[in-house]
Amino acid sequence: MWTVLLLVVAVTAASTGWRPAAPDGRNGPPPPKPEPVSVTELPLPPVTPSTEAGSCTRKINPRGTGCVGRSVGLQSGGFLPDGRHVAAQVSFAGAPAGPDPAGIYTGRQLIIVRTDGTTFPNGDPWKCVTCGVPAENAVGRVDALDYPQPFADGRRVLAGPNIIDCGPRLLVDCAPERAHIYPIRWNVTPEGAGKGGEIRELRLHPDNVHLGFNSFTADNGKLGQFAYLGRLKFDPAPKTGEPRTPRYDLAKVTRLFDPADEQPVEADPRRPGELKVNPGARAVGELRGFSKDGKEVTYIGHSAESSNIDVFAANLTTGKVRRLTSHPEYVDPVDLSPDGKWLVAMDTRGTDRQMFMAGMRAIPPVTDLITSSAASSTRNNGQRRFFQPYLIDRYGDRGDYQGQRLNAAGDGGPGSVNDPNWNGRADPQWSPDGTSVAYWQALVVPPACGGHNPLPCPRSTAPGGRTERMMIARLTGRGPAPARPVAPISDRVPWGTPYQPGSPTPTRPYPREGTYTLRGKVSGSAQVKITETAARTAISTIAVAYKGFSDDGLHVLNGTERVTAANPTLTTTKVDWYSDLVQTGRTRATKKSSPDGFHLTIDVLTNIFQATGTLTTTINGRTYLQPANGT
């Protein structure tokens, strides 16, 4: 364990060659000054050099409380309500076989880690909550324990599609024989039969009664997704469905989508032949969490600017949408602070990873109707995420302000807090009092480096050579600003659709085949030609010609862009992209493909960049190139 005090400076717009507008179109108040941050690596179980049974010896762990492998299987989660513990998933390895009591420390388990430098009564700074839970107390348990989120009562924690319950005792005092692991079931059949629907990316609502989740769809050969909100209801003796064991059922489920609602890009119902862009449309793609007052849901939605993947928030009652980020780099995992004044985001900003396609601002998100999967998938190189944690105030990116990187200071050397080979992973989490942020990182390992990949593989300097670590960033200049308790919200989301088990999954509407005019809000227009597939079930090609187009009066767009997209497999997107755009006004920029076009094939689940041809963006004389294949 080590600590480094950081006096962090804000990233400036000069480093990327552009000056973004505020997410909501206003200038916003003056940006906050950078604040001091202290970063500490949190302790984890000791590392065994082998995963073979018995390799975790008493020499490695004298207390016999388990080991992890070099690949920890880590996923850091939320704070317990006392603010002194963080929940995490790890994979124990090397446990002895047979009757040895240390044999319980094996496989995926939930641990809690102390953040204040103290230890549990046995001397460990961490404690396994699920190790040794009797089999009869874990019937129906799902192996995954990802995104662990403690309840406000301190006795339960959501981990994967499970709720771990220690009854009347707090998690910090929980003995394994007292714990229960209850599965969560979403009924998707009219008669209530079967194991239920597949749910992913679960997020506990601050009222501790409702749960947000996502579920994949397969629509016309392409992977899709909808987000849902449901009420957690404990059933000690279910009469239908599987598993027929005490479990939590999801009741009063709402799909956060209404096909009759306005869409991000649609044919204008009032002006035949014209296209309409609706920046305030509630286009919930993947649910990412909730504001701490429980009033808003956060999500990845349809881009507000072309190829720019951002996070939005929608009020669960009114449906009003806020754009939380606007930097052209990729952002996904976010958490809003307890007082609602800040957010922390894992973002690729500063890496220039996405600038080759998203760097030109103020392009309407028309081609995004078919390119969003490809644009979002280029953020990673397999398991190398390029994420780092950023602190951003509630008014978002504006002027020269692009947030403050929490781990910016350091020498950049091996194992340092800003070592570029240690990449941030999902879901940073605020402490209950708003003074700290917990996050986790993974070291670059093959095949994201080495072998045929031109990037060299670093050597881990972490204890035992492990390749994952938990971190905590303390905002040392802040006083406590905890959130207020949240009363249970309504089961009804007025702008959503109540889910009926067994009902067909809807299809997201899109503008049908034809030629449309898109008028700039300030000047000019664009001619948009949409071509559907032969089956007329999806868009295959979008061609746009801009002439003096401007929505803000600051950026004027001329030129053409044409994209054809197909899905060779359910998770793979292939795009043929031809771009010749010129922007004048506040920014002088171009976005151009090579004469033979830019051709990218990428899998949304593996994210390995493979392209022929080029797509290049130049902004005020600075050129941004695409990543090399395989990097």
Side-chain angles (χ1 to χ4, degrees):
M1 188 192 308
W2 36 266
T3 304
V4 179
L5 181 66
L6 309 179
L7 295 179
V8 190
V9 295
V11 178
T12 64
S15 66
T16 54
W18 56 270
R19 297 175 61 86
D24 58 4
R26 296 180 293 107
N27 292 326
K33 295 180 179 180
E35 53 186 294
V37 185
S38 170
V39 176
T40 304
E41 182 176 354
L42 295 175
L44 290 170
V47 176
T48 176
S50 168
T51 58
E52 293 183 4
S55 63
C56 180
T57 65
R58 293 282 176 162
K59 183 177 180 180
I60 297 174
N61 186 343
R63 298 185 184 90
T65 51
C67 300
V68 293
R70 290 193 177 97
S71 179
V72 182
L74 176 67
Q75 185 159 40
S76 177
F79 284 81
L80 270 64
D82 62 11
R84 297 175 54 222
H85 303 83
V86 174
Q89 171 191 270
V90 299
S91 290
F92 283 93
D100 190 311
I104 63 174
Y105 296 97
T106 186
R108 287 185 186 175
Q109 305 288 353
L110 181 84
I111 66 172
I112 51 176
V113 179
R114 292 207 164 173
T115 64
D116 59 3
T118 63
T119 62
F120 288 93
N122 72 343
D124 284 332
W126 53 271
K127 173 181 179 175
C128 185
V129 176
T130 54
C131 297
V133 172
E136 60 270 24
N137 289 6
V139 178
R141 170 198 159 163
V142 177
D143 187 50
L145 298 171
D146 51 336
Y147 302 104
Q149 299 158 66
F151 284 70
D153 57 21
R155 298 183 293 104
R156 296 174 293 162
V157 58
L158 170 73
N162 308 283
I163 291 179
I164 300 153
D165 191 327
C166 283
R169 292 183 177 270
L170 296 175
L171 289 164
V172 294
D173 300 320
C174 190
E177 63 271 14
R178 294 180 177 272
H180 289 79
I181 304 177
Y182 299 118
I184 300 172
R185 181 180 183 275
W186 173 35
N187 180 43
V188 293
T189 63
E191 65 278 8
K195 67 176 184 177
E198 296 292 333
I199 57 178
R200 63 183 301 272
E201 299 279 350
L202 282 65
R203 299 296 186 275
L204 184 64
H205 188 272
D207 69 0
N208 286 242
V209 172
H210 289 84
L211 182 73
F213 64 97
N214 301 279
S215 186
F216 280 142
T217 65
D219 186 21
N220 295 314
K222 181 179 181 180
L223 189 70
Q225 186 169 224
F226 283 105
Y228 298 82
L229 179 74
R231 173 181 286 266
L232 288 166
K233 182 180 179 182
F234 184 68
D235 188 344
K239 300 295 190 296
T240 60
E242 301 296 335
R244 203 71 61 86
T245 183
R247 69 187 189 220
Y248 279 87
D249 288 329
L250 287 165
K252 304 290 186 181
V253 174
T254 298
R255 183 185 290 119
L256 300 181
F257 171 75
D258 182 352
D261 205 351
E262 68 177 11
Q263 302 301 309
V265 181
E266 62 182 3
D268 194 328
R270 298 183 178 181
R271 296 183 176 90
E274 295 198 12
L275 207 61
K276 181 182 178 184
V277 175
N278 300 310
R282 294 174 285 272
V284 181
E286 182 168 278
L287 184 146
R288 301 306 301 168
F290 301 94
S291 59
K292 294 301 189 293
D293 62 7
K295 295 180 180 179
E296 293 179 306
V297 59
T298 61
Y299 61 93
I300 304 296
H302 189 89
S303 300
E305 298 171 276
S306 188
S307 301
N308 187 350
I309 310 297
D310 286 312
V311 180
F312 301 81
N315 188 287
L316 286 167
T317 301
T318 68
K320 183 178 179 180
V321 172
R322 288 194 298 136
R323 184 181 177 188
L324 300 180
T325 60
S326 67
H327 194 289
E329 287 292 338
Y330 182 92
V331 62
D332 186 342
V334 296
D335 192 33
L336 274 60
S337 66
D339 63 5
K341 296 180 180 179
W342 302 85
L343 66 88
V344 62
M346 283 293 179
D347 200 302
T348 66
R349 62 184 65 191
T351 68
D352 293 344
R353 180 80 181 176
Q354 301 290 103
M355 295 292 286
F356 79 100
M357 65 165 54
M360 183 184 282
R361 309 304 302 276
I363 303 175
V366 177
T367 57
D368 299 68
L369 289 166
I370 58 174
T371 61
S372 59
S373 294
S376 64
S377 298
T378 59
R379 71 191 186 275
N380 296 349
N381 172 31
Q383 290 302 307
R384 184 171 185 173
R385 298 286 175 136
F386 298 94
F387 281 152
Q388 295 298 346
Y390 282 84
L391 179 70
I392 307 169
D393 76 1
R394 70 167 280 115
Y395 299 98
D397 305 295
R398 58 197 185 276
D400 289 337
Y401 176 67
Q402 299 173 31
Q404 175 178 335
R405 181 172 162 180
L406 290 177
N407 62 340
D411 60 12
S416 63
V417 295
N418 64 337
D419 180 349
N421 286 313
W422 282 93
N423 310 134
R425 301 301 296 270
D427 281 34
Q429 294 287 307
W430 285 93
S431 64
D433 66 358
T435 63
S436 301
V437 173
Y439 64 98
W440 61 292
Q441 296 177 308
L443 186 67
V444 178
V445 296
C449 62
H452 295 293
N453 192 311
L455 297 174
C457 287
R459 182 176 180 180
S460 174
T461 61
R466 57 178 161 79
T467 57
E468 291 162 303
R469 65 186 186 184
M470 285 178 67
M471 312 295 285
I472 184 169
R474 294 182 172 88
L475 305 173
T476 57
R478 296 192 177 195
R484 295 180 179 179
V486 176
I489 62 170
S490 171
D491 295 324
R492 181 173 177 267
V493 180
W495 49 271
T497 304
Y499 174 73
Q500 298 297 325
S503 61
T505 303
T507 298
R508 295 185 185 270
Y510 63 86
R512 311 307 295 195
E513 183 171 304
T515 300
Y516 300 86
T517 297
L518 175 65
R519 300 190 184 280
K521 292 182 174 62
V522 175
S523 65
S525 64
Q527 185 183 71
V528 182
K529 183 177 180 180
I530 293 176
T531 304
E532 292 180 274
T533 60
R536 306 295 290 268
T537 56
I539 297 174
S540 65
T541 301
I542 298 177
V544 189
Y546 296 97
K547 186 174 182 181
F549 183 95
S550 180
D551 272 341
D552 59 10
L554 303 174
H555 305 84
V556 180
L557 191 60
N558 287 280
T560 61
E561 195 160 40
R562 176 168 58 87
V563 183
T564 297
N567 298 100
T569 70
L570 186 65
T571 62
T572 302
T573 298
K574 179 181 183 296
V575 294
D576 301 306
W577 199 316
Y578 299 84
S579 185
D580 185 9
L581 297 178
V582 177
Q583 190 174 76
T584 56
R586 171 178 287 185
T587 303
R588 306 191 73 82
T590 61
K591 181 180 179 182
K592 294 181 179 290
S593 59
S594 53
D596 57 345
F598 170 69
H599 309 279
L600 171 70
T601 300
I602 194 162
D603 191 299
V604 299
L605 300 183
T606 57
N607 308 136
I608 306 299
F609 189 93
Q610 292 291 336
T612 59
T614 61
L615 184 63
T616 304
T617 293
T618 301
I619 304 172
N620 292 335
R622 181 172 177 178
T623 298
Y624 298 94
L625 305 176
Q626 68 206 50
N629 286 343
T631 65

